[in-house]
Amino acid sequence: MLAKFAAKNFRGFRDRIEIDLTRHSNYTFNSFAIKDGIIKNGILYGPNGSGKTNFSLAIFDIVNHLSQKWKKPDYYSNFTYAGDRNLVVDFEYTFIFNGQTVEYCYGKDAMGVLRYEQMSVDGKQVFRRAERKLTIDENEFPMGDAVKKNLADNANNVSIVNFLITSYPLAGDNYLLLMSNFVNGMLWFRCLETREFIGLENNSTLLDEFIIRNKLVGEFERFLKEVSGQQFKFAAPAPGDKNLFCEVGGKKILFDPISSTGTQALELLFYWIKRMKDATFVFIDEFDAFYHFKLSFEVCKLLFKLDCQVFTSSHNTYLMTNDLLRPDCNFIVHDNKIKALCDCTDKELRFGHNIEKLFRGDTFRI
């Protein structure tokens, strides 16, 4: 699981910004949100322009860096802090796999070229490459001087992690493979004017076609009713159909033109939930931009039942309630900082407190 993350010089973050998912309180309610001592579920709040989206994209840089999964085509168009394009962008990840703490850090320039890379496990350095020099634990990864020199020069921008994974026989529970599997299971997506995603998949998919091909029409119909209360009667797909049709007044009508933006967002959510069986870490940016506030609550309950780590960003303070999460799982992003609600006040927060009312009353100061 992802335990900690920090970034510096990325987009709007001139200073270092960090989230520590091992820092949780001893609340006894909603214990599902903590797994193996790590925060499993959370919601990020913050004013417009505070950096919620940028922070989530920063977390997913490792997907662009190590995996071959789908990437945003314009990812590097606004990569470094705007005040100085010559800065190196720093990323720091801490993972915990089977009790082992894996710390992985690297830096990139404005074009996405690696400038340094290092890893340690349980405090012991595995490798470090910087300034055309490479030090590596040769007891674990023996290599000749020529290979070592080529990796140190790294003219073709090869990640040391990917090189080690593809060049050495590793046990299935090796920390490098566990990290690689985790990264390949990461998913970021949003549904605003356009639908965008990073990770998990290799290609984009037509949602109607996916539902029809996988014989999920009936399940999608039930999903819409259970989550949002909407009752659509879908026609049985004919051979070769790639679009969903609804039965209205005895006639077949295309689903897309008669569905609201919120319903279309639910179709996207349904698709990803079907794919999340392979997910490890999910971030949904502005997940409820088109949802009614009560629908947002029901969707969160559904998402937080998943086994993987799931985080969202939102402006909907109706979700800021102990009936859904806990004060250590609701985060505020502001002024290049991110803090849990319980760390933003001296007040002891209990289950019976109206967290939303306290938030609106300016109780929480970051």
Side-chain angles (χ1 to χ4, degrees):
M1 296 178 72
L2 179 65
K4 297 179 185 178
F5 171 76
K8 182 179 178 183
N9 301 328
F10 179 79
R11 295 197 170 197
F13 301 122
R14 173 63 180 86
D15 301 316
R16 185 176 183 275
I17 184 169
E18 178 187 62
I19 189 169
D20 185 350
L21 299 178
T22 67
R23 184 182 173 86
H24 56 82
S25 300
N26 58 350
Y27 298 109
T28 56
F29 56 91
N30 292 334
S31 57
F32 67 85
I34 310 297
K35 182 178 180 181
D36 299 330
I38 298 173
I39 295 174
K40 171 181 172 287
N41 303 121
I43 302 176
L44 272 62
Y45 300 90
N48 293 100
S50 60
K52 300 183 296 297
T53 295
N54 282 347
F55 186 75
S56 67
L57 289 173
I59 293 175
F60 279 77
D61 187 86
I62 196 170
V63 179
N64 288 276
H65 173 49
L66 292 181
S67 86
Q68 299 301 314
K69 301 298 183 181
W70 185 266
K71 304 169 177 61
K72 278 170 58 65
D74 61 347
Y75 182 74
Y76 288 109
S77 62
N78 182 26
F79 186 65
T80 57
Y81 174 67
D84 188 349
R85 300 294 188 185
N86 295 317
L87 293 170
V88 172
V89 185
D90 302 306
F91 300 96
E92 306 171 27
Y93 297 83
T94 300
F95 301 99
I96 297 179
F97 303 119
N98 298 335
Q100 280 189 311
T101 300
V102 179
E103 295 174 287
Y104 180 50
C105 309
Y106 60 88
K108 294 179 179 179
D109 65 18
M111 303 302 295
V113 177
L114 276 172
R115 292 305 182 191
Y116 72 87
E117 187 181 16
Q118 62 186 51
M119 174 179 283
S120 63
V121 176
D122 292 335
K124 179 183 177 184
Q125 182 174 287
V126 177
F127 69 82
R128 174 175 170 77
R129 186 192 75 83
E131 299 175 349
R132 304 184 71 176
K133 294 180 181 179
L134 173 66
T135 57
I136 191 164
D137 183 351
E138 296 198 45
N139 290 321
E140 187 172 5
F141 300 105
M143 64 177 60
D145 291 341
V147 173
K148 192 173 180 180
K149 182 179 183 304
N150 287 338
L151 283 174
D153 291 337
N154 215 354
N156 56 346
N157 202 32
V158 171
S159 163
I160 303 298
V161 170
N162 282 340
F163 174 81
L164 296 178
I165 288 174
T166 56
S167 302
Y168 290 82
L170 302 172
D173 60 352
N174 183 273
Y175 58 87
L176 288 175
L177 288 180
L178 293 176
M179 188 179 83
S180 178
N181 291 338
F182 187 92
V183 170
N184 278 286
M186 292 175 68
L187 169 67
W188 176 99
F189 73 93
R190 65 179 172 187
C191 181
L192 297 175
E193 293 87 355
T194 58
R195 296 171 175 175
E196 298 179 288
F197 73 97
I198 298 172
L200 196 61
E201 289 279 17
N202 292 314
N203 299 290
S204 58
T205 301
L206 297 174
L207 302 184
D208 283 14
E209 185 178 1
F210 172 85
I211 291 171
I212 294 169
R213 185 175 67 247
N214 289 279
K215 297 179 173 58
L216 296 171
V217 175
E219 188 173 343
F220 179 50
E221 184 178 297
R222 292 190 295 274
F223 171 81
L224 289 175
K225 183 178 180 180
E226 292 169 5
V227 174
S228 66
Q230 298 179 90
Q231 297 193 44
F232 285 92
K233 175 61 178 176
F234 289 109
D241 274 358
K242 295 185 178 181
N243 298 103
L244 291 171
F245 286 85
C246 299
E247 293 182 354
V248 180
K251 297 180 179 179
K252 288 177 61 175
I253 300 176
L254 275 171
F255 169 66
D256 184 70
I258 65 170
S259 59
S260 69
T261 51
T263 303
Q264 291 170 8
L266 282 174
E267 183 179 15
L268 179 67
L269 177 67
F270 177 78
Y271 165 77
W272 281 121
I273 285 176
K274 289 293 148 191
R275 297 291 294 111
M276 282 182 197
K277 61 182 175 58
D278 301 319
T280 54
F281 184 98
V282 175
F283 193 101
I284 311 175
D285 187 35
E286 300 286 7
F287 85 103
D288 55 350
F290 301 118
Y291 292 167
H292 184 272
F293 66 95
K294 290 185 178 180
L295 173 58
S296 299
F297 187 91
E298 294 302 318
V299 168
C300 276
K301 288 202 304 184
L302 184 67
L303 290 170
F304 295 158
K305 289 179 182 179
L306 299 172
D307 289 335
C308 59
Q309 287 179 282
V310 179
F311 291 79
T312 72
S313 65
S314 179
H315 291 288
N316 181 5
T317 56
Y318 182 79
L319 303 175
M320 198 178 282
T321 168
N322 289 330
D323 291 328
L324 181 64
L325 280 175
R326 350 180 319 166
D328 53 353
C329 297
N330 288 288
F331 298 89
I332 300 175
V333 183
H334 185 60
D335 195 23
N336 213 108
K337 300 183 183 68
I338 178 167
K339 285 187 178 181
L341 292 185
C342 56
D343 295 328
C344 296
T345 180
D346 293 330
K347 185 181 182 66
E348 182 183 356
L349 301 176
R350 300 177 182 176
F351 178 76
H353 280 131
N354 186 325
I355 303 299
E356 181 185 18
K357 185 177 180 180
L358 292 172
F359 177 78
R360 291 178 177 270
D362 209 23
T363 297
F364 305 108
R365 297 294 183 91
I366 194 166

mmCIF file of all heavy atoms in Angstrom, residues 318-339:
data_model
loop_
_atom_site.group_PDB
_atom_site.id
_atom_site.type_symbol
_atom_site.label_atom_id
_atom_site.label_comp_id
_atom_site.label_asym_id
_atom_site.label_seq_id
_atom_site.Cartn_x
_atom_site.Cartn_y
_atom_site.Cartn_z
ATOM 1 N N TYR A 318 -21.212 18.049 2.235
ATOM 2 C CA TYR A 318 -22.179 17.075 2.752
ATOM 3 C C TYR A 318 -21.489 15.745 3.060
ATOM 4 O O TYR A 318 -21.939 14.985 3.917
ATOM 5 C CB TYR A 318 -23.285 16.873 1.706
ATOM 6 C CG TYR A 318 -24.389 15.912 2.111
ATOM 7 C CD1 TYR A 318 -25.407 16.317 2.960
ATOM 8 C CD2 TYR A 318 -24.403 14.610 1.624
ATOM 9 C CE1 TYR A 318 -26.424 15.431 3.323
ATOM 10 C CE2 TYR A 318 -25.413 13.723 1.969
ATOM 11 C CZ TYR A 318 -26.414 14.138 2.830
ATOM 12 O OH TYR A 318 -27.418 13.272 3.183
ATOM 13 N N LEU A 319 -20.374 15.485 2.368
ATOM 14 C CA LEU A 319 -19.616 14.251 2.581
ATOM 15 C C LEU A 319 -18.729 14.329 3.817
ATOM 16 O O LEU A 319 -18.187 13.311 4.262
ATOM 17 C CB LEU A 319 -18.748 13.950 1.357
ATOM 18 C CG LEU A 319 -19.477 13.826 0.021
ATOM 19 C CD1 LEU A 319 -18.468 13.653 -1.119
ATOM 20 C CD2 LEU A 319 -20.463 12.667 0.055
ATOM 21 N N MET A 320 -18.583 15.523 4.373
ATOM 22 C CA MET A 320 -17.719 15.725 5.523
ATOM 23 C C MET A 320 -18.502 15.375 6.789
ATOM 24 O O MET A 320 -18.906 16.228 7.580
ATOM 25 C CB MET A 320 -17.221 17.171 5.557
ATOM 26 C CG MET A 320 -16.009 17.397 6.422
ATOM 27 S SD MET A 320 -15.446 19.115 6.372
ATOM 28 C CE MET A 320 -14.590 19.154 4.791
ATOM 29 N N THR A 321 -18.718 14.077 6.961
ATOM 30 C CA THR A 321 -19.529 13.589 8.080
ATOM 31 C C THR A 321 -18.947 12.299 8.620
ATOM 32 O O THR A 321 -18.403 11.478 7.864
ATOM 33 C CB THR A 321 -20.986 13.360 7.633
ATOM 34 O OG1 THR A 321 -21.683 12.629 8.653
ATOM 35 C CG2 THR A 321 -21.058 12.553 6.347
ATOM 36 N N ASN A 322 -19.093 12.108 9.914
ATOM 37 C CA ASN A 322 -18.616 10.872 10.543
ATOM 38 C C ASN A 322 -19.501 9.683 10.198
ATOM 39 O O ASN A 322 -19.161 8.550 10.539
ATOM 40 C CB ASN A 322 -18.538 11.053 12.057
ATOM 41 C CG ASN A 322 -17.409 11.981 12.468
ATOM 42 O OD1 ASN A 322 -16.392 12.062 11.798
ATOM 43 N ND2 ASN A 322 -17.595 12.693 13.582
ATOM 44 N N ASP A 323 -20.628 9.924 9.552
ATOM 45 C CA ASP A 323 -21.450 8.807 9.069
ATOM 46 C C ASP A 323 -20.819 8.139 7.854
ATOM 47 O O ASP A 323 -21.208 7.027 7.486
ATOM 48 C CB ASP A 323 -22.846 9.304 8.689
ATOM 49 C CG ASP A 323 -23.654 9.746 9.910
ATOM 50 O OD1 ASP A 323 -23.449 9.149 10.987
ATOM 51 O OD2 ASP A 323 -24.460 10.679 9.781
ATOM 52 N N LEU A 324 -19.848 8.806 7.231
ATOM 53 C CA LEU A 324 -19.201 8.270 6.034
ATOM 54 C C LEU A 324 -17.749 7.888 6.308
ATOM 55 O O LEU A 324 -17.334 6.767 6.016
ATOM 56 C CB LEU A 324 -19.252 9.296 4.905
ATOM 57 C CG LEU A 324 -18.637 8.868 3.572
ATOM 58 C CD1 LEU A 324 -19.403 7.690 2.979
ATOM 59 C CD2 LEU A 324 -18.638 10.043 2.582
ATOM 60 N N LEU A 325 -16.973 8.813 6.840
ATOM 61 C CA LEU A 325 -15.561 8.555 7.120
ATOM 62 C C LEU A 325 -15.233 8.975 8.555
ATOM 63 O O LEU A 325 -16.046 8.805 9.446
ATOM 64 C CB LEU A 325 -14.674 9.299 6.107
ATOM 65 C CG LEU A 325 -14.506 8.647 4.740
ATOM 66 C CD1 LEU A 325 -13.702 9.560 3.815
ATOM 67 C CD2 LEU A 325 -13.807 7.282 4.838
ATOM 68 N N ARG A 326 -14.038 9.516 8.777
ATOM 69 C CA ARG A 326 -13.603 9.965 10.093
ATOM 70 C C ARG A 326 -12.736 11.205 9.907
ATOM 71 O O ARG A 326 -12.262 11.465 8.795
ATOM 72 C CB ARG A 326 -12.798 8.887 10.832
ATOM 73 C CG ARG A 326 -12.818 7.565 10.194
ATOM 74 C CD ARG A 326 -12.098 6.425 10.777
ATOM 75 N NE ARG A 326 -10.777 6.641 11.321
ATOM 76 C CZ ARG A 326 -10.154 5.758 12.093
ATOM 77 N NH1 ARG A 326 -10.752 4.633 12.397
ATOM 78 N NH2 ARG A 326 -8.970 5.998 12.564
ATOM 79 N N PRO A 327 -12.527 11.983 10.958
ATOM 80 C CA PRO A 327 -11.757 13.217 10.811
ATOM 81 C C PRO A 327 -10.322 13.026 10.328
ATOM 82 O O PRO A 327 -9.741 13.950 9.757
ATOM 83 C CB PRO A 327 -11.775 13.804 12.234
ATOM 84 C CG PRO A 327 -13.029 13.276 12.845
ATOM 85 C CD PRO A 327 -13.159 11.887 12.292
ATOM 86 N N ASP A 328 -9.742 11.838 10.533
ATOM 87 C CA ASP A 328 -8.377 11.622 10.053
ATOM 88 C C ASP A 328 -8.336 11.152 8.607
ATOM 89 O O ASP A 328 -7.243 10.955 8.049
ATOM 90 C CB ASP A 328 -7.628 10.624 10.950
ATOM 91 C CG ASP A 328 -8.374 9.317 11.153
ATOM 92 O OD1 ASP A 328 -9.541 9.210 10.724
ATOM 93 O OD2 ASP A 328 -7.796 8.388 11.755
ATOM 94 N N CYS A 329 -9.498 11.016 7.967
ATOM 95 C CA CYS A 329 -9.568 10.588 6.572
ATOM 96 C C CYS A 329 -10.134 11.680 5.662
ATOM 97 O O CYS A 329 -10.290 11.456 4.458
ATOM 98 C CB CYS A 329 -10.421 9.321 6.441
ATOM 99 S SG CYS A 329 -9.742 7.903 7.319
ATOM 100 N N ASN A 330 -10.474 12.817 6.240
ATOM 101 C CA ASN A 330 -10.880 13.991 5.471
ATOM 102 C C ASN A 330 -9.724 14.985 5.501
ATOM 103 O O ASN A 330 -9.259 15.373 6.581
ATOM 104 C CB ASN A 330 -12.129 14.643 6.073
ATOM 105 C CG ASN A 330 -13.376 13.814 5.845
ATOM 106 O OD1 ASN A 330 -13.887 13.725 4.740
ATOM 107 N ND2 ASN A 330 -13.885 13.205 6.910
ATOM 108 N N PHE A 331 -9.261 15.402 4.312
ATOM 109 C CA PHE A 331 -8.070 16.229 4.216
ATOM 110 C C PHE A 331 -8.401 17.584 3.597
ATOM 111 O O PHE A 331 -9.261 17.685 2.717
ATOM 112 C CB PHE A 331 -7.007 15.533 3.356
ATOM 113 C CG PHE A 331 -6.530 14.229 3.914
ATOM 114 C CD1 PHE A 331 -7.180 13.043 3.592
ATOM 115 C CD2 PHE A 331 -5.423 14.171 4.752
ATOM 116 C CE1 PHE A 331 -6.745 11.831 4.103
ATOM 117 C CE2 PHE A 331 -4.981 12.969 5.266
ATOM 118 C CZ PHE A 331 -5.635 11.795 4.941
ATOM 119 N N ILE A 332 -7.697 18.600 4.062
ATOM 120 C CA ILE A 332 -7.807 19.940 3.476
ATOM 121 C C ILE A 332 -6.509 20.258 2.756
ATOM 122 O O ILE A 332 -5.415 20.077 3.312
ATOM 123 C CB ILE A 332 -8.071 21.004 4.555
ATOM 124 C CG1 ILE A 332 -9.377 20.716 5.288
ATOM 125 C CG2 ILE A 332 -8.123 22.394 3.920
ATOM 126 C CD1 ILE A 332 -9.640 21.660 6.451
ATOM 127 N N VAL A 333 -6.625 20.711 1.505
ATOM 128 C CA VAL A 333 -5.470 21.159 0.726
ATOM 129 C C VAL A 333 -5.540 22.679 0.637
ATOM 130 O O VAL A 333 -6.535 23.233 0.167
ATOM 131 C CB VAL A 333 -5.469 20.550 -0.695
ATOM 132 C CG1 VAL A 333 -4.218 20.987 -1.455
ATOM 133 C CG2 VAL A 333 -5.553 19.029 -0.623
ATOM 134 N N HIS A 334 -4.489 23.339 1.093
ATOM 135 C CA HIS A 334 -4.475 24.804 1.056
ATOM 136 C C HIS A 334 -3.062 25.317 1.321
ATOM 137 O O HIS A 334 -2.350 24.762 2.168
ATOM 138 C CB HIS A 334 -5.436 25.377 2.104
ATOM 139 C CG HIS A 334 -5.571 26.875 2.057
ATOM 140 N ND1 HIS A 334 -6.032 27.537 0.945
ATOM 141 C CD2 HIS A 334 -5.295 27.823 2.980
ATOM 142 C CE1 HIS A 334 -6.052 28.834 1.185
ATOM 143 N NE2 HIS A 334 -5.588 29.037 2.414
ATOM 144 N N ASP A 335 -2.666 26.335 0.592
ATOM 145 C CA ASP A 335 -1.400 27.027 0.827
ATOM 146 C C ASP A 335 -0.211 26.062 0.838
ATOM 147 O O ASP A 335 0.647 26.111 1.718
ATOM 148 C CB ASP A 335 -1.467 27.799 2.145
ATOM 149 C CG ASP A 335 -0.346 28.822 2.287
ATOM 150 O OD1 ASP A 335 0.195 29.253 1.251
ATOM 151 O OD2 ASP A 335 0.001 29.160 3.441
ATOM 152 N N ASN A 336 -0.183 25.180 -0.147
ATOM 153 C CA ASN A 336 0.921 24.225 -0.322
ATOM 154 C C ASN A 336 1.051 23.238 0.842
ATOM 155 O O ASN A 336 2.118 22.707 1.139
ATOM 156 C CB ASN A 336 2.265 24.943 -0.512
ATOM 157 C CG ASN A 336 3.212 24.183 -1.432
ATOM 158 O OD1 ASN A 336 3.450 24.589 -2.558
ATOM 159 N ND2 ASN A 336 3.740 23.051 -0.970
ATOM 160 N N LYS A 337 -0.064 22.987 1.523
ATOM 161 C CA LYS A 337 -0.076 22.024 2.626
ATOM 162 C C LYS A 337 -1.286 21.121 2.472
ATOM 163 O O LYS A 337 -2.287 21.495 1.864
ATOM 164 C CB LYS A 337 -0.130 22.723 3.993
ATOM 165 C CG LYS A 337 1.031 23.645 4.306
ATOM 166 C CD LYS A 337 0.879 24.211 5.708
ATOM 167 C CE LYS A 337 1.989 25.207 6.037
ATOM 168 N NZ LYS A 337 1.881 26.438 5.241
ATOM 169 N N ILE A 338 -1.189 19.945 3.069
ATOM 170 C CA ILE A 338 -2.327 19.036 3.136
ATOM 171 C C ILE A 338 -2.369 18.425 4.528
ATOM 172 O O ILE A 338 -1.375 17.873 5.003
ATOM 173 C CB ILE A 338 -2.253 17.947 2.035
ATOM 174 C CG1 ILE A 338 -3.434 16.987 2.154
ATOM 175 C CG2 ILE A 338 -0.937 17.197 2.049
ATOM 176 C CD1 ILE A 338 -3.601 16.095 0.943
ATOM 177 N N LYS A 339 -3.519 18.570 5.191
ATOM 178 C CA LYS A 339 -3.652 18.086 6.566
ATOM 179 C C LYS A 339 -5.017 17.443 6.761
ATOM 180 O O LYS A 339 -6.012 17.865 6.155
ATOM 181 C CB LYS A 339 -3.503 19.234 7.568
ATOM 182 C CG LYS A 339 -2.083 19.732 7.773
ATOM 183 C CD LYS A 339 -2.044 20.751 8.911
ATOM 184 C CE LYS A 339 -0.639 21.236 9.197
ATOM 185 N NZ LYS A 339 -0.620 22.207 10.320
#
